[in-house]
Amino acid sequence: MIRLHDIRYVRLGTRDLEGAIRYATTVLGLELARKEHGAAYFKSDARDHTLCYFEGDPRDHTAAFEVDTPEELQRAGAVLERSGYTVAAGKREEAEQRYVRDFLSFIDPSGNRIELVHAPQHSGRRYFPGRDAGVTGFSHIGLRTLDARRDEAFWTGLLSARVSDRIGEAPLLRIDEVHHKIALFPSAYPGVQHINHQVESIDDIMRAWYQLREWNVPIRFGPGRHPTSGAMFLYFDGPDGMIYEYSTGVRLISAEEEKTYRPRSFPAVPSSFCMWGAKPDIPEFKS
């Protein structure tokens, strides 16, 4: 099994890089770490970057996960190839653009581009955001799946993910103590479905709700509270159709709980997404 240490970054293509920079700094509240070679890199915590917008096709999405050692990266490539997946080793120039020592990439069963990285860089500078949104870090992604049961088996069989809960066919997967770092949502096409950043408190959720409404940024879901992870949340529109989420208070599953933990199954109805009664305006949450 390939052991994933943490989720690391998301790379998104865009036709309007300057617009994406304005959004990420002014609306989302991230720090522009650098802009170079047709790409903009954004910090949300102590990592070098957790989000990269680059000039390209808005349908071009990549999600990256960290492994601990060069040997684990090499073994991961061998395991994937034995299982029938085409693995591409990252070139030196590509690794430099990602600010990692080494990486490999492959396409998951639904067509999502995944990168496994070793020795990603951290930043010696404190995270200093474009605005005080209360962001404490990049936490998880929603990933589109064309076959949720098949992809759940891929992530839990070849990779080290474990199911925390399910909403209908959609599994919420953890790779550490956080309730989920990946959520697989049934869709008609591949790609990143939403990107989550943690914020300090419910006060940041509510401040964002008022501020986003003032800026006419469409709210897609919330404020609300997930009955699965316990997190309080707010989902809103981003560039090129991407959905962003702020959340706080996500459940942690301790090593002791892990021994006896069993995933729960929730029906695919609005109350399984929000225990307060908010209704989602997100297609993948309505199925």
Side-chain angles (χ1 to χ4, degrees), residues 30-160:
L30 305 185
E31 177 187 355
L32 178 62
R34 70 186 65 84
K35 178 186 174 186
E36 60 186 15
H37 309 304
Y41 299 79
F42 301 93
K43 287 169 54 69
S44 60
D45 47 44
R47 291 172 277 193
D48 176 84
H49 72 280
T50 55
L51 175 64
C52 175
Y53 273 105
F54 61 91
E55 294 175 342
D57 187 340
R59 297 170 297 180
D60 188 349
H61 299 172
T62 300
F65 297 84
E66 183 181 354
V67 299
D68 282 337
T69 67
E71 292 76 20
E72 286 188 2
L73 187 64
Q74 185 176 15
R75 282 197 298 269
V79 168
L80 288 163
E81 288 182 335
R82 284 199 302 270
S83 301
Y85 295 93
T86 300
V87 177
K91 299 176 182 177
R92 176 176 296 182
E93 180 182 353
E94 295 172 325
E96 290 173 351
Q97 291 171 352
R98 288 157 174 76
Y99 289 85
V100 302
R101 183 174 299 171
D102 202 2
F103 78 100
L104 58 80
S105 67
F106 64 95
I107 304 298
D108 81 357
S110 281
N112 297 299
R113 182 172 297 280
I114 306 297
E115 292 180 350
L116 301 181
V117 308
H118 166 58
Q121 292 185 15
H122 280 68
S123 175
R125 294 187 300 104
R126 182 174 60 179
Y127 162 56
F128 192 81
R131 76 175 184 90
D132 184 13
V135 172
T136 59
F138 168 51
S139 182
H140 74 255
I141 58 169
L143 201 60
R144 299 180 187 276
T145 173
L146 307 186
D147 184 330
R149 294 191 182 188
R150 176 200 63 195
D151 289 358
E152 177 185 315
F154 169 79
W155 284 94
T156 59
L158 283 186
L159 304 172
S160 60

Side-chain angles (χ1 to χ4, degrees), residues 6 16 32 53 70 73 183 185-186 197 202 222 238 245 249 268 271 275 283 287:
D6 198 2
D16 181 7
L32 178 62
Y53 273 105
L73 187 64
F185 293 109
H197 291 85
I202 185 60
E245 178 194 12
S271 61
M275 61 196 304
S287 59

Side-chain angles (χ1 to χ4, degrees), residues 201-232:
S201 73
I202 185 60
D203 294 329
D204 297 304
I205 298 284
M206 295 310 302
R207 276 191 286 265
W209 184 68
Y210 283 107
Q211 183 66 79
L212 292 170
R213 291 176 69 202
E214 183 176 321
W215 287 337
N216 295 315
V217 175
I219 304 295
R220 300 295 294 274
F221 191 19
R225 185 165 191 162
H226 292 307
T228 49
S229 68
M232 294 164 281

